[in-house]
Amino acid sequence: MIEPGSLLRSLSGRVTARNFHSHVINELGAGVISGRFPVGSILPNDAALMDEFAVSRTVLREALKTLEAKGLVEARPKVGTKVVKQSRWSLYDAQVLAWCLEAGPDEEFLRGLHNVRHALEPQAASDAASHHSGDQIRLMHYWLRQMELALNEPQSFCLADFELHRIIAEAARNPFIRALQGVIELSHALAYRTIVHEQHVVDLTPVFQKHYQLVGAIERGLASEAGLAMTATIEQDVQMAIDFPPSR
């Protein structure tokens, strides 16, 4: 389990696993997503993996159970642990999405990611305009202010940007939209990763202004305007990912 914002905080460098269990999960999970362990293949046997990662059988088995719960592998009696097809992967799981970012998602994945955001986040903004609480509006303004203060600090800016979207999803009062948290964070990571990692000088004022308009529409209860404003912020993320592709 990773905390909200962990993926964005890792943009300036890969986060080291906290323990052997986490290390095994990360290495095997990333290996599946990247294709090091192709779909349909059988993972090396327990003895080989225990030797590779220098862990006990107990640690290894618990790590494999975690990966099975995420839909990446399945244990088959007398066969071993098999990598399953992508359609079974838990793509709303934040850790799985982090591995997708590390591996470099393909065009089909990116298209699906953006389509999901376009389908659901504008609705979240519209619902938030109708259902927000006073505390949620105060939090939205807080994160807007953090964006404004971080116009010259891309990593802090993108964290505040994500937190603002997360509060809007909460204000929508829809558990299925709330479950998009990992998708939203991955989209922000894709938009900002090159800017943060390579320390590009970028004018983030237009991004701030779009979010300012978004919060204003939500605060005034303008559901239709809020939905359109959210669509504009999503399109900004897509364009930033295009304008600043990762270095090869």
Side-chain angles (χ1 to χ4, degrees):
M1 182 68 179
I2 62 176
E3 295 297 319
S6 296
L7 179 56
L8 296 175
R9 293 185 183 91
S10 73
L11 290 179
S12 56
R14 186 174 179 180
V15 176
T16 303
R18 292 185 296 250
N19 53 48
F20 287 123
H21 179 255
S22 297
H23 176 66
V24 176
I25 292 171
N26 281 331
E27 292 302 311
L28 291 178
V32 169
I33 301 296
S34 68
R36 176 190 168 198
F37 304 115
V39 169
S41 68
I42 305 298
L43 295 183
N45 62 35
D46 285 5
L49 291 174
M50 288 162 59
D51 183 62
E52 178 179 350
F53 297 115
V55 295
S56 68
R57 187 179 300 276
T58 299
V59 170
L60 176 63
R61 299 313 299 174
E62 288 301 314
L64 290 174
K65 285 180 182 178
T66 298
L67 293 174
E68 190 164 11
K70 294 177 184 294
L72 301 184
V73 301
E74 64 178 1
R76 291 191 170 183
K78 300 182 181 180
V79 175
T81 302
K82 182 179 180 179
V83 178
V84 302
K85 55 187 178 181
Q86 189 186 51
S87 61
R88 291 177 56 186
W89 297 355
S90 299
L91 290 179
Y92 285 97
D93 182 287
Q95 196 167 27
V96 172
L97 290 172
W99 294 327
C100 289
L101 175 68
E102 185 177 333
D106 59 27
E107 289 186 12
E108 182 179 350
F109 182 96
L110 292 173
R111 184 169 57 252
L113 180 75
H114 298 318
N115 285 346
V116 167
R117 288 194 71 192
H118 274 291
L120 295 179
E121 273 203 278
Q123 183 63 53
S126 295
D127 290 346
S130 302
H131 303 307
H132 65 263
S133 67
D135 283 343
Q136 286 166 336
I137 290 296
R138 282 189 286 274
L139 280 171
M140 290 178 205
H141 279 288
Y142 171 80
W143 288 115
L144 266 181
R145 178 59 176 159
Q146 296 309 303
M147 290 176 71
E148 186 175 23
L149 292 172
L151 285 170
N152 297 314
E153 301 172 19
Q155 186 163 24
S156 295
F157 185 93
C158 74
L159 277 164
D161 184 346
F162 164 65
E163 289 292 346
L164 176 55
H165 282 258
R166 192 165 70 87
I167 296 300
I168 292 170
E170 289 285 340
R173 299 187 185 178
N174 184 325
F176 294 97
I177 289 176
R178 197 177 298 131
L180 284 176
Q181 179 175 284
V183 169
I184 296 169
E185 184 171 0
L186 175 61
S187 295
H188 282 73
L190 290 166
Y192 289 98
R193 60 179 170 173
T194 303
I195 295 172
V196 171
H197 189 261
E198 299 184 10
Q199 299 182 338
H200 286 290
V201 177
V202 179
D203 182 10
L204 295 171
T205 304
V207 180
F208 167 74
Q209 290 172 338
K210 291 291 185 186
H211 286 79
Y212 184 87
Q213 293 166 5
L214 170 61
V215 172
I218 292 173
E219 185 173 17
R220 295 195 303 275
L222 303 175
S224 180
E225 287 187 20
L228 291 172
M230 177 63 82
T231 296
T233 71
I234 295 170
E235 290 174 351
Q236 275 186 324
D237 287 346
V238 174
Q239 191 59 50
M240 286 173 65
I242 293 171
D243 290 344
F244 299 97
S247 300
R248 296 298 181 186

